[in-house]
Amino acid sequence: MRAAIFLFLGVAFAAAFTTEWVPEFRDEAAARGLAGVAPNGGMDSKTYIIETTGSGVGLLDYDNDGLLDVFVASGDGAPSRLYHNEGGGRFRDVSEQMGITRTGWAQGVCAGDYDNDGYTDLFVTYWGQNILYHNEGGKRFRDVTREAGLVQDRVRYNTGCAFLDYDRDGRLDLFVSNYLQFGFDFTPKPGANAYCWYLGLAVNCGPRGLPFDRNILYHANADGTFTDVSVKSGVAAPDRSYCLSALVADFDGDGWPDIFVPCDQTPSLLYMNQHDGTFSEEALLRGVAFDENGRAMSGMGATAGDYNHTGRQSIFRTNFSDERETLYNNEGEGQFQERTIAAGMGANTRYVSWGCQFFDFDNDGWLDLAVVNGHVFPEIDKKNTDLRFRQRAILYHNLRDGRFADISAQAGPGIAAVHSARGLAVGDVDNDGALEILTNNQGEAPSLLRLATRPPGNWVLLKLTGTVSNRSAIGARVRLTAGGMTQTAEVRSGGSYLSQSDLRLHFGLGAATRIDRIEIDWPSGAKTDRRDLEANRIQTIEEPRRAQ
């Protein structure tokens, strides 16, 4: 009964919402020059699981011109693509001239200035060998994987990644998720065993029945190299999970970054930072390993945000069809309770969901949520069901009381268009205060969803620069107060599904035309307190030179 009431209220709100400002998202990728196709195996059938997991996308300003550029990871032997933001709504493919020429089965991407030289570097995960691209002054990316000590001793199915400063020494370390052990020569083919069937169809095998692997943590050394500390840190200890994305946040509010890893058909993981270079895996103890019924879900992507203004980072996780999405509310001190049904998110069970991101699309000061979808089995189109390989996206609007309304049907042709989407990133590509959604679609060009009209609320973009802390300010925590409302956010590398969103922090301000206060806790321990700032612009804030 309660779920029915919530559903009715959500529909009623969506109807009222459309009488005011309508969020009409349109796909402008082709018109803006984002035309390269990202192949990921067959589009009518897929023989191996490597063809299903797809790839991520990234939004970063690699040349420090103040405009977000686009990175699109590609699998199936094709090179990934880098597009320069030319301004005026146009992008130009600069992949070859910038040194982005590596081919192979790319999976995820994360960004951060690992050597603190003022330019954002790129890390791209692969089935096979990962690659670290050093940003050479915004003019070219150079493959420094070997000299940085990141060459792996065997083929691995690397997936999600995130830069983080887990020991707060001012240098960015690197976490890498691993899905499973895969090889074309030993992985069974469709129909070979019980794990290779779906709804009576012979399909690619896995993940069940395929060997597990372990996650990786690299510690950054002072000379620009990395050391594998997976065993020493405790990250390698969980060895029976199929891990996909990587989500970093300070979940217990102690000032140290923790790591959540959504896992496929196995319990998800939550590595809690012990402040001594080690992590303790506590997902079960803290309520994020399973759903509310104690069932392991098919976790794909994850995002974190303070959606209910508690000052705490809650977690949203995407899952497979016939499973609900999962909203874990942070109850305080890193303890979580699932609130999916209560939040009005229990109805969308026919989608296979991947990339997701909390973001404020209407600038009202409350985090909304975007989710992109697409089935793993193209063969499903042969069945007479409501499941399809290509699926539309979902847009949830925050009702400001802990609940969300699914307003996808009113959100424009960009949300309604069907794709088999995977990675998703969010950022303001033209610096106008309205956020865009970038997605990676299997076998198609990417989508860039842009609002047809400006949202009604005021806004601010915060560009933070570390001095004692890492220069990207990854891990910095912000409290912003405007118009009697306080919001919190963290600078984050990685997240969503194998993707990188804008490192700048966007805040919607609603009717407020000025910002009362911005408080920043930097990873070094330094603090910043700014008062009475202007809205509707980019505010650049540098960390104090000496920690307080």
Side-chain angles (χ1 to χ4, degrees), residues 278-525:
T278 67
F279 289 83
S280 173
E281 200 290 296
E282 301 178 5
L284 180 60
L285 295 175
R286 294 179 178 269
V288 294
F290 304 104
D291 70 356
E292 62 183 356
N293 298 314
R295 185 173 63 151
M297 309 290 275
S298 303
M300 313 293 193
T303 182
D306 181 13
Y307 74 93
N308 51 1
H309 292 182
T310 63
R312 301 185 289 267
Q313 296 292 302
S314 296
I315 297 172
F316 176 87
R317 185 185 67 186
T318 57
N319 299 307
F320 204 79
S321 60
D322 297 323
E323 299 175 347
R324 289 195 302 266
E325 299 147 339
T326 316
L327 178 65
Y328 297 112
N329 186 68
N330 192 331
E331 304 286 310
E333 299 182 347
Q335 297 292 332
F336 294 84
Q337 182 174 349
E338 189 190 334
R339 296 198 179 274
T340 310
I341 296 293
M345 293 177 166
N348 289 315
T349 60
R350 66 184 183 277
Y351 301 102
V352 177
S353 301
W354 303 84
C356 56
Q357 188 71 25
F358 281 117
F359 75 128
D360 184 0
F361 70 79
D362 57 351
N363 289 339
D364 68 348
W366 295 81
L367 290 177
D368 311 300
L369 183 68
V371 182
V372 292
N373 309 296
H375 215 284
V376 296
F377 305 128
E379 297 89 347
I380 196 66
D381 288 345
K382 300 174 184 177
K383 304 288 288 188
N384 187 23
T385 71
D386 61 351
L387 299 177
R388 292 292 183 269
F389 179 57
R390 293 175 175 85
Q391 301 174 340
R392 69 162 173 85
I394 301 170
L395 185 66
Y396 287 108
H397 189 259
N398 194 324
L399 300 183
R400 310 183 189 184
D401 60 0
R403 296 179 298 119
F404 292 81
D406 180 353
I407 61 166
S408 309
Q410 294 86 33
I415 298 295
V418 294
H419 305 281
S420 188
R422 297 296 186 264
L424 175 150
V426 171
D428 188 350
V429 302
D430 42 16
N431 294 333
D432 65 351
L435 294 175
E436 282 76 39
I437 303 170
L438 174 70
T439 69
N440 194 330
N441 304 316
Q442 287 212 318
E444 300 179 71
S447 295
L448 182 66
L449 306 187
R450 186 172 185 269
L451 286 165
T453 58
R454 287 182 51 78
N458 296 304
W459 57 277
V460 69
L461 274 172
L462 298 186
K463 178 176 172 53
L464 306 187
T465 302
T467 55
V468 181
S469 303
N470 69 88
R471 193 166 179 84
S472 297
I474 290 168
R477 294 168 295 148
V478 176
R479 282 171 46 92
L480 182 146
T481 301
M485 178 169 54
T486 298
Q487 306 174 57
T488 63
E490 299 182 4
V491 181
R492 179 171 298 122
S493 173
S496 180
Y497 179 73
L498 316 184
S499 294
Q500 176 67 56
S501 290
D502 192 352
L503 287 169
R504 301 173 302 179
L505 296 179
H506 170 273
F507 292 89
L509 304 177
T513 57
R514 297 193 69 83
I515 301 161
D516 300 317
R517 187 177 188 182
I518 294 176
E519 302 165 87
I520 305 173
D521 290 323
W522 302 87
S524 68

Side-chain angles (χ1 to χ4, degrees), residues 114-115 117 121 132-136 140-144:
Y114 79 90
D115 59 349
D117 68 351
D121 308 298
L132 176 62
Y133 286 113
H134 180 259
N135 190 332
E136 307 277 304
R140 188 170 177 82
F141 283 97
R142 182 168 63 92
D143 180 354
V144 296

